[in-house]
Amino acid sequence: NQRIIVNGGTSVYGTDAKRQYQRSTAAHSTITIDGESSSDVWGGFRVARRAKVQNVSSGQNDKYVWAHGQHDGYRHLPGRPMHHREWILNDNELRITDVILGHKVHTIRVNFPIAPRIVPLQKSEKCIELRDEDDNSLKCIVSFSHPSLVTIEKTSWHPNFGVSIASWRIHFELKVALPIKLESIISWRDRSE
């Protein structure tokens, strides 16, 4: 009953840098490739080149719920990257698998904006604990399939127009040749149990 990972939200309208960032892919819980947004946002409300979503499906069985989709928002980059994402949710964890098809070397960043009052603590190059600011209780553990440059940054969350609340963002970044498969695992039960 508590938000842990969020999208950045929108606090302003207009055309300034804050509005442009809040509309960008980097402000959302997804990946960016080479620092680009998956759709070309410009002006206060305009979108030019739009990512086309394809192959969306979902389902469940007695062990987990899953959803899958892909988009072509990075096909304009060299090597024509295509982003596939799958979510598998069970009683213990949410496993997010990102497959980026294509060619060439690219910088891939997986972003997770964190809800206010949740504090990230880096435990290793592949693992971050998310704890409640008030009582230091463990909310979940975020782990990544690849050792990488994991960064924790101060940012803000914008649940409504004109509202900006201090929060954190975690991301990991790799410069790799495509294709690549990355996994982010958000677990709320100790995985050593």
Side-chain angles (χ1 to χ4, degrees):
N1 296 324
Q2 182 179 11
R3 290 183 182 198
I4 302 293
I5 295 175
V6 294
N7 286 318
T10 302
S11 67
V12 295
Y13 294 115
T15 58
D16 66 3
K18 186 184 286 187
R19 169 75 170 162
Q20 292 307 103
Y21 174 74
Q22 290 174 7
R23 296 182 69 210
S24 74
T25 301
H28 293 79
S29 182
T30 188
I31 71 158
T32 59
I33 300 179
D34 296 339
E36 299 272 330
S37 282
S38 57
S39 291
D40 185 19
V41 294
W42 59 281
F45 298 91
R46 304 259 186 196
V47 180
R49 176 192 36 77
R50 293 174 186 256
K52 293 180 183 66
V53 177
Q54 307 163 356
N55 298 334
V56 175
S57 58
S58 62
Q60 67 182 55
N61 59 34
D62 58 344
K63 295 184 180 177
Y64 57 85
V65 176
W66 59 272
H68 171 86
Q70 67 186 44
H71 72 82
D72 66 356
Y74 296 111
R75 299 287 279 178
H76 67 285
L77 295 174
R80 300 178 56 78
M82 180 75 111
H83 179 207
H84 302 252
R85 179 169 267 193
E86 181 178 61
W87 299 262
I88 297 178
L89 174 67
N90 65 35
D91 290 340
N92 302 321
E93 67 185 24
L94 172 63
R95 184 175 297 262
I96 303 166
T97 304
D98 291 300
V99 176
I100 300 104
L101 300 177
H103 308 284
K104 308 283 185 185
V105 173
H106 292 278
T107 300
I108 310 298
R109 179 184 276 188
V110 180
N111 300 296
F112 290 113
I114 306 301
R117 310 199 68 72
I118 301 295
V119 178
L121 301 168
Q122 188 160 354
K123 302 308 279 186
S124 74
E125 63 181 357
K126 294 172 59 174
C127 180
I128 294 180
E129 288 183 352
L130 299 181
R131 293 189 169 270
D132 188 284
E133 182 178 80
D134 295 326
D135 64 11
N136 199 37
S137 61
L138 180 64
K139 294 300 179 180
C140 66
I141 298 168
V142 180
S143 57
F144 307 108
S145 58
H146 291 66
S148 59
L149 180 59
V150 177
T151 305
I152 299 171
E153 301 173 329
K154 287 186 176 182
T155 188
S156 53
W157 181 56
H158 314 101
N160 298 305
F161 180 74
V163 177
S164 183
I165 302 170
S167 63
W168 295 92
R169 171 178 56 210
I170 59 175
H171 57 78
F172 78 94
E173 185 172 292
L174 295 166
K175 188 166 187 173
V176 293
L178 300 184
I180 190 167
K181 176 181 176 180
L182 304 170
E183 283 191 326
S184 305
I185 302 165
I186 303 162
S187 55
W188 40 91
R189 184 174 294 170
D190 186 346
R191 296 177 75 200
S192 64
E193 290 180 356

